[in-house]
Amino acid sequence: MSSNNGKVISKACPHTVKKFDLIEEYIKSWAQKLMLTDACNGLIFIDCMCNSGIYTDVEGKFVKGTPMRVAEVLLDVARTYTQKQVFLYLNDNSEDKIEELKKHLPAEERNFRIVTSVGDGNELLKTIGSQLKQAKHLHFFLFYDPYDASIDWDAILPFFRNWGEVLINHMISDSIRAISQVKNDSAKKKYEGTYLVDDVKKLIPFGSNRTAYEQRLREVIEFLQGSSDRKYYIATFPFFNTKNSLVYDLVHCTSHEAGFKLFKKTAWKTFGDQSSLKNRHGEERQLVMDFMEENLCRNVIDEYCYNINNVASYVQDNFRGKKDVSFDDVWSLLDEHPVFPSDGYKSQIKSVLKKDHDAQISRQTISFSDRRE
């Protein structure tokens, strides 16, 4: 744990504040969608590594963290849907942080309950997880936010296999930095446990390849969710610090397509209509020549930070030369993508396809040019 994380009120860097923003905005929409359904009797939000709920930003101003923001959002939801229940479980291994958190939380109400605890967050999850089958009409959201690349899959397992959503902070910078030179036995076991390998040496070839670590995490989640009969959706979004270094991924997991689509939309809106806050220094507007095809220019693509032009190019690639394609087919393609959104961006995507890719758009269909992207 860093010295900053050891403080009762720690500093939140800009990328951390942006993480708070994303979670708050998603929970607002997530809660409203669920509470409108008859099958949902209430919500459970769990932050098992919640810190003190209050931070200072780079200017020294106080900033609300995830538990405070979510508590305020869900209190409003509880007051709107008075016949349904809302529960928050907030835990940290520091008693001082939990005592500080309690000072800032709203008061409980009849259908709004907050349970705070001090201890190992993984042990809390094992206790709650064993009871999930008895709460079938309550929908949960688990936020799993360790300080380093340490994930206890046994603790999370029940949450993958029940009706709800899991958001994991994958501290990928820790793995990239340390795995190639790790010597301490406890550290080796940590990485072996996080990526479910029997020997940390199997991870060394990953080097600094972010995609390799992300793919391994995805494989673990897909294996643990257990059922081959249901579709499981995983979205991954990177977070960068002010020096443009990758710090962590937020990995959103759900068996519900609507939640998957909503999280992608919320992430892009939070990042200003792109897939991260990486500073591309204007490169996103640059064109490069494709010498394999005469007179063809492309936008520069950065898989760490996509924009709407990249989304439109992906659609063009998949439907090149096809005529009278229904928009349902176009949006379905994007709905399956782990990063690209459709909801919230349909008019912008249509505009770019028409302007930059010579697509012919009618009321219900779109015809694509033969241009290769």
Side-chain angles (χ1 to χ4, degrees), residues 255-271:
S255 58
H256 199 294
E257 184 183 23
F260 178 64
K261 291 163 60 176
L262 179 60
F263 190 82
K264 291 192 294 180
K265 171 186 173 182
T266 307
W268 276 67
K269 295 293 185 184
T270 302
F271 294 139

Side-chain angles (χ1 to χ4, degrees), residues 25-53:
E25 290 305 311
Y26 180 71
I27 292 297
K28 282 180 184 178
S29 301
W30 170 81
Q32 290 289 342
K33 275 183 174 288
L34 284 173
M35 287 301 217
L36 287 170
T37 65
D38 292 337
C40 177
N41 290 341
L43 305 174
I44 302 172
F45 178 87
I46 307 162
D47 186 345
C48 60
M49 303 159 183
C50 69
N51 218 307
S52 63

Side-chain angles (χ1 to χ4, degrees), residues 82-284:
T82 56
Q83 300 307 308
K84 300 189 177 187
Q85 300 294 314
V86 176
F87 301 92
L88 286 84
Y89 291 88
L90 304 175
N91 176 85
D92 197 88
N93 59 12
S94 166
E95 185 172 359
D96 290 340
K97 289 183 179 182
I98 290 297
E99 288 304 313
E100 181 66 31
L101 174 62
K102 289 178 181 178
K103 299 176 186 176
H104 307 284
L105 293 172
E108 293 186 331
E109 298 187 4
R110 180 189 57 80
N111 64 329
F112 175 77
R113 304 295 304 276
I114 301 176
V115 179
T116 59
S117 58
V118 178
D120 184 338
N122 293 310
E123 293 304 315
L124 172 65
L125 295 185
K126 291 172 184 176
T127 300
I128 297 174
S130 66
Q131 302 169 5
L132 286 179
K133 290 185 179 179
Q134 300 162 13
K136 291 183 178 179
H137 296 290
L138 295 175
H139 293 245
F140 67 81
F141 185 97
L142 166 61
F143 182 37
Y144 192 88
D145 189 11
Y147 294 121
D148 58 14
S150 179
I151 300 175
D152 185 336
W153 296 110
D154 287 338
I156 304 177
L157 180 61
F159 297 89
F160 290 140
R161 299 185 177 183
N162 286 276
W163 189 254
E165 304 190 11
V166 178
L167 184 64
I168 300 172
N169 188 331
H170 176 204
M171 192 62 71
I172 196 167
S173 58
D174 176 16
S175 302
I176 290 173
R177 180 183 65 252
I179 283 178
S180 63
Q181 53 193 1
V182 63
K183 293 183 172 55
N184 182 281
D185 285 343
S186 63
K188 289 180 182 179
K189 290 186 186 307
K190 176 184 76 172
Y191 296 118
E192 289 166 357
T194 294
Y195 298 103
L196 289 191
V197 294
D198 55 13
D199 191 334
V200 74
K201 292 179 182 178
K202 292 182 178 180
L203 301 172
I204 291 176
F206 290 7
S208 59
N209 185 349
R210 163 216 174 196
T211 304
Y213 290 104
E214 289 179 348
Q215 181 58 33
R216 180 56 191 161
L217 205 75
R218 178 181 292 269
E219 290 170 355
V220 171
I221 294 168
E222 289 175 343
F223 171 73
L224 292 177
Q225 66 90 12
S227 175
S228 59
D229 297 330
R230 65 170 179 165
K231 189 98 175 182
Y232 205 73
Y233 301 91
I234 304 169
T236 302
F237 288 90
F239 281 70
F240 293 81
N241 62 21
T242 54
K243 296 180 180 179
N244 243 18
S245 296
L246 176 64
V247 183
Y248 51 77
D249 290 330
L250 282 188
V251 184
H252 178 257
C253 315
T254 181
S255 58
H256 199 294
E257 184 183 23
F260 178 64
K261 291 163 60 176
L262 179 60
F263 190 82
K264 291 192 294 180
K265 171 186 173 182
T266 307
W268 276 67
K269 295 293 185 184
T270 302
F271 294 139
D273 301 332
Q274 56 189 26
S275 68
S276 79
L277 284 184
K278 181 182 179 184
N279 186 347
R280 296 181 62 184
H281 302 289
E283 186 184 61
E284 66 275 15

